[in-house]
Amino acid sequence: MHGISRWSKVVALSAAAVVCAAGMSGPAAAYGPGDGQGSTTGPSGNTDGKGTLSATAGAVVFDRDNNGSGPSTGRVTSASTWTPPACYYAPMYTPEQLQKTKESVWEAGSTGYEWDATQRDHYVNGNPYKDFNKDKAGKGYFWGSYVSEGRAGDPGALDCTKDYFWVDTGDAPPADIPEAITPKMLADLAYAEIRVPSTKVTLAPADATKVNLPTWAWLDAAQFKPVSVTASVPILDIEATTVAEPVSLRIEPGTADAQVYPASGVCTFVNGRIGEPYAAGKASQTPPCGVKYLRSSGDRTYPLRATITWKIHWTGTGVAQEQPLPDGEFGAEQAVVVQEIQAVNR
């Protein structure tokens, strides 16, 4: 998409400072500051050519065509304490639409006389907006808060409590509102939409391994390729694409009585694959990726956990070079049976 004139300069500067995708969301009923919070599952609206904004046109739209797919895929989680945003601000109403929304609340009298009077002063009497900014109709929108799908109960959803505010078409949102939609915010939201394949590894021996016998571990290389999600706000003509690439597999054998290969327990991707399939004649070799159990699991199993680390980055409107985001992880456990080697005495 084409960048926005005055916005592109702002984005370029902010991107230079950057050291670092759950469904689509939309507006809900109005209840005061931050009252745009809510969630829908499929906004795709736009304008009618006369500046009329559909109810969800300002919400983020996701393109998942290059994402991981299938029943075994899962959501990556940040390897750090960072999490994708639970809420954001984006275009929500034209002057006429906001008037209808606000006046219906005032007429109901559910928010009280003092609150309603303060709101009228804010949006009607010129402090700061006069007559809902109708003199700027078609030249911008009132922005409101959206909550990412599935995050309504998240404490982060309460970060967006600011009442509706005006942004002229082509202008960047106010710098003092970090949750306002920008290409970087779109990249963060797309992060939450990334889906990656299951991390169940193939083991040899397969059904049960033996004490002190190296067990080879590998992954189906065809499943592990870069995935991406693009997030956009068409009405603003901005977008960002977040890409995740697999870089390593961490093996945790599920018991202290084990030795991993390599010693770090981290197997890196080499020539597009992790580990090496076992083949006849390799029994005496050390696997490039695997584990050796030193004690039988008895009548139980060991919960081997395999976790893939994904390197994640983004590009977007006004951003020429890839920008890093926190690494993502996705892992799963699988039961491993370990038996004693039975010796026959004659």
Side-chain angles (χ1 to χ4, degrees), residues 281-341:
K282 294 183 178 180
S284 61
Q285 299 179 21
T286 299
C289 184
V291 59
K292 179 170 69 177
Y293 286 96
L294 308 179
R295 181 172 299 189
S296 166
S297 60
D299 57 0
R300 299 177 299 165
T301 59
Y302 289 128
L304 181 146
R305 184 170 184 82
T307 303
I308 294 283
T309 295
W310 297 76
K311 186 69 67 176
I312 302 180
H313 55 82
W314 71 279
T315 56
T317 304
V319 180
Q321 297 182 337
E322 293 179 354
Q323 302 295 320
L325 286 168
D327 288 350
E329 293 183 337
F330 182 60
E333 289 185 355
Q334 57 195 88
V336 177
V337 176
V338 181
Q339 301 172 336
E340 293 282 1
I341 296 177

Side-chain angles (χ1 to χ4, degrees), residues 98-157:
L98 182 60
Q99 180 181 14
K100 291 180 179 179
T101 299
K102 288 294 186 183
E103 287 183 344
S104 65
V105 175
W106 299 340
E107 290 172 3
S110 59
T111 50
Y113 172 80
E114 290 186 4
W115 171 257
D116 292 351
T118 299
Q119 288 279 287
R120 286 189 178 91
D121 192 54
H122 188 78
Y123 291 105
V124 180
N125 300 333
N127 295 304
Y129 306 114
K130 185 174 180 60
D131 193 23
F132 292 95
N133 246 18
K134 287 182 182 176
D135 62 327
K136 286 194 171 185
K139 300 178 181 178
Y141 300 102
F142 279 103
W143 289 34
S145 61
Y146 295 75
V147 174
S148 302
E149 185 179 2
R151 304 289 297 278
D154 193 309

Side-chain angles (χ1 to χ4, degrees), residues 32-307:
D35 49 7
Q37 295 180 20
S39 177
T40 63
T41 56
S44 58
N46 51 33
T47 63
D48 61 2
K50 300 178 182 178
T52 301
L53 188 67
S54 68
T56 55
V60 173
V61 176
F62 296 99
D63 179 352
R64 304 177 181 85
D65 286 348
N66 296 315
N67 205 8
S69 60
S72 64
T73 57
R75 181 197 304 266
V76 293
T77 57
S78 171
S80 66
T81 57
W82 178 88
T83 58
C87 67
Y88 61 93
Y89 294 99
M92 187 171 286
Y93 293 125
T94 64
E96 182 181 27
Q97 289 170 332
L98 182 60
Q99 180 181 14
K100 291 180 179 179
T101 299
K102 288 294 186 183
E103 287 183 344
S104 65
V105 175
W106 299 340
E107 290 172 3
S110 59
T111 50
Y113 172 80
E114 290 186 4
W115 171 257
D116 292 351
T118 299
Q119 288 279 287
R120 286 189 178 91
D121 192 54
H122 188 78
Y123 291 105
V124 180
N125 300 333
N127 295 304
Y129 306 114
K130 185 174 180 60
D131 193 23
F132 292 95
N133 246 18
K134 287 182 182 176
D135 62 327
K136 286 194 171 185
K139 300 178 181 178
Y141 300 102
F142 279 103
W143 289 34
S145 61
Y146 295 75
V147 174
S148 302
E149 185 179 2
R151 304 289 297 278
D154 193 309
L158 301 178
D159 291 342
C160 300
T161 58
K162 186 176 179 62
D163 209 348
Y164 301 107
F165 56 92
W166 181 266
V167 178
D168 286 333
T169 299
D171 277 358
D176 61 348
I177 303 179
E179 300 86 6
I181 207 71
T182 61
K184 172 58 167 63
M185 175 64 80
L186 287 173
D188 293 346
L189 292 168
Y191 188 112
E193 293 298 306
I194 292 291
R195 299 294 183 269
V196 295
S198 166
T199 57
K200 184 175 182 179
V201 295
T202 302
L203 301 175
D207 297 328
T209 188
K210 306 296 183 181
V211 172
N212 292 322
L213 176 68
T215 299
W216 292 59
W218 68 93
L219 290 168
D220 181 357
Q223 295 185 33
F224 291 88
K225 54 187 178 182
V227 298
S228 66
V229 172
T230 296
S232 64
V233 180
I235 202 168
L236 295 178
D237 202 20
I238 60 172
E239 68 175 17
T241 298
T242 298
V243 180
E245 301 178 77
V247 292
S248 64
L249 166 70
R250 184 174 71 253
I251 291 181
E252 299 167 273
T255 174
D257 294 314
Q259 177 182 340
V260 292
Y261 305 102
S264 64
V266 177
C267 310
T268 57
F269 273 78
V270 178
N271 296 325
R273 72 180 187 186
I274 280 188
E276 181 180 325
Y278 177 79
K282 294 183 178 180
S284 61
Q285 299 179 21
T286 299
C289 184
V291 59
K292 179 170 69 177
Y293 286 96
L294 308 179
R295 181 172 299 189
S296 166
S297 60
D299 57 0
R300 299 177 299 165
T301 59
Y302 289 128
L304 181 146
R305 184 170 184 82
T307 303

